[in-house]
Amino acid sequence: MPVSPIKMADAIRVLSMDAVHKAKSGHQGMPMGMADVATVLWGKFLKFDAAKPDWADRDRFVLSAGHGSMLLYSLLHLTGFKAMTIQQIENFRQWGSLTPGHPEVHHTPGVETTTGPLGQGLATAVGMAMAEAHLASRFGKDVVDHRTWVIAGDGCLMEGVSHEAISLAGRLKLNKLTVLFDDNNTTIDGEATISETGDQLLRFKAAGWAVKAVDGHDHVKIAAALRWATKQDRPTLIACKTLISKGAGPKEGDPHSHGYTLFDDQIRDAREAMGWTDGPFTVPADIAGAWKAVGRRGARVRKAWEAVLKASAHAADFERAMNGQLPAGAFDKLTAYTASAAEAKPNNATRVHSGAALEQLIPIIPEMIGGSADLTGSNNTFVKGMAPFDTPDYAGRYVHYGVREFGMAAAMNGMALHGGVIPYSGTFLAFADYSRPAIRLGALMQARVIHVMTHDSIGLGEDGPTHQPVEQIASLRAMPNLLVFRPADAVEVAECWKIALEHQSNPSVMCLSRQKVPGVRDSAAENLSAKGAYELLAADGGEAVVTIFSSGTEVSVAVAARDILQAQGKPTRVVSTPCWELFEQQSDAYKASVIGKAPTRIAVEAAVRMGWERFIGEDGKFVGMTHFGASAPYERLYKEFGITAEAVAAAAG
Ligand SMILES: Cc1ncc(C[n+]2csc(CCOP(=O)(O)OP(=O)(O)O)c2C)c(N)n1
Ligand SMILES: [Mg+2]
């Protein structure tokens, strides 16, 4: 007799209850409520093969409501993902387990993206769907043709980033993206209506989505809705009306059963209500067998696809791109350009140098997909000849993200996680705070995403303090696994681009200037930026008595200050620090040699001091900002705020 799909859903419910109960923490409410929807989706629609979690043409499943992680872990276990043993389920939320509190990509096979910060999973999924659309165009639909499915809750849809994600997806008509909304009218504080009474269907519809509501416990209706979703010409929202903690006896539908609320008695009641006689963490053989069959359902399709890929003229290129490797000769043009920049020492804004570096890279690296949050001309992210990424074919490589910094950064994470593309895009550095939650998640997920952030100091001038970053550089430097670059001239800019592209497991931020600066590097023989910090100029005429540390546009200030000090008979070194994170990775001996032994250490940066003690020590002198900026031409601002060569020289005493 075939196993009832309700029983299969009950297996998710029971495992979720048992795991949360054993961990004495976590969330059973959402997994129990969405078990039916998940059973239909995984059972009949999701293209996957449990034996091959990383099959490139699999559908992407994103649990945006990451607190419901036991839903995903149950599915991975039941369908037979090898790593997800019953012991892992029993070790939910414990040290070293594959079942952390919220799903973490690269940690658990089958998890596509790290979720938990509500709303971001949905925004990340938009990027996955974008990557799919582009790669389908580049490699053909026989090689790339999959969907992206998202489960999102009330919380995800309340978060502001969902607005950016939804409107971008709607504008781009990403018809292979489906959001399954767990419409349970519940959040932590109680009924969702205590804080939200908007109409989600109308909201998505207004953004250009096709929408539908369905009883989230009716398997037949759910299946019909999912089938409908696959036939639309735009992204789809299915609001699934569910009861939180469905199946949990008296707790079913209780708006306070979001988290760990089921204790021994309630779990016994729930088991009874479900007619589930097996003990904790035990799934009857017939139900387990039905789920295992689901896990094998995609094997044939996967093998057929592998044969198609093998026969495809694109095979090698596709695999290289999906593995994150750069094409042969990726940096040939850039290297030649860097050498010529060292000779010509062009006097220009570092954002312009970045545009020039991109001109060397874009034609050779087809994986690079650029864009900007409506600041294309200011960010210098567009290279002539790039077509816009848009319907109908998505072949273009330049995304007009609109004024959506957070949605853009999250989408880039999704593109990088999907694989096959290397996203970069621009905004102003002051607005890094708008993107910050996605930059952070990208850093946690080791996603190769390059954030071009121009107008990186008071040096942007007249736009004034709202646009002048002061504390952003320090705050970004505090973030683990993020490479924060602040290059000084054309050579360093090109070096930093190369490093960012070569680091497959780090996001990068390029802090770039609006104002022009002179070239400081004479030679491009070695990528000195790769060391994070290096001696740009040695002291003349004896042991250095002063070392000036600096980054970006202030390196030329440091160089001018050195001239003054040398003229006063004080041998002075200048150290450029384009990337602090990379400096920390150098040997102790190298680091000590860069810090040097000069009795006077000064740092100059048109930003706050925080963190510079690393270079100048507690007693070091700092020339920079201690307050917000002001609106005026930048030359005046540097003078008024005392960030000048004279001030640096004077600080040497
Ligand atoms: C950005 C963010 N803010 C707050 C939280 C904490 N949090 C986790 S779940 C949740 C309630 C979400 O409600 P819903 O998505 O409807 O989940 P349900 O209660 O239905 O399971 C909150 C506030 C979070 N994870 N992320
Ligand atoms: Mg809810």
Side-chain angles (χ1 to χ4, degrees), residues 67 153-155 181-187 192 244 258:
H67 59 280
D154 299 287
F181 166 34
D182 178 19
D183 189 5
N184 63 6
N185 189 28
T186 302
T187 61
I244 195 159
H258 155 99

Side-chain angles (χ1 to χ4, degrees), residues 357-431:
L358 283 170
E359 280 174 25
Q360 319 307 316
L361 297 166
I362 293 299
I364 306 184
I365 307 178
E367 289 76 38
M368 289 179 76
I369 300 215
S372 167
D374 199 44
L375 288 169
T376 292
S378 300
N379 299 146
N380 297 71
T381 40
F382 179 77
V383 171
K384 226 170 121 189
M386 289 176 99
F389 171 88
D390 205 351
T391 53
D393 65 1
Y394 304 100
R397 292 166 60 196
Y398 196 81
V399 184
H400 292 287
Y401 285 101
V403 192
R404 299 183 180 99
E405 294 83 7
F406 188 3
M408 171 173 78
M412 289 203 293
N413 286 341
M415 292 162 91
L417 290 172
H418 179 282
V421 293
I422 305 172
Y424 74 91
S425 76
T427 185
F428 289 157
L429 182 58
F431 307 143

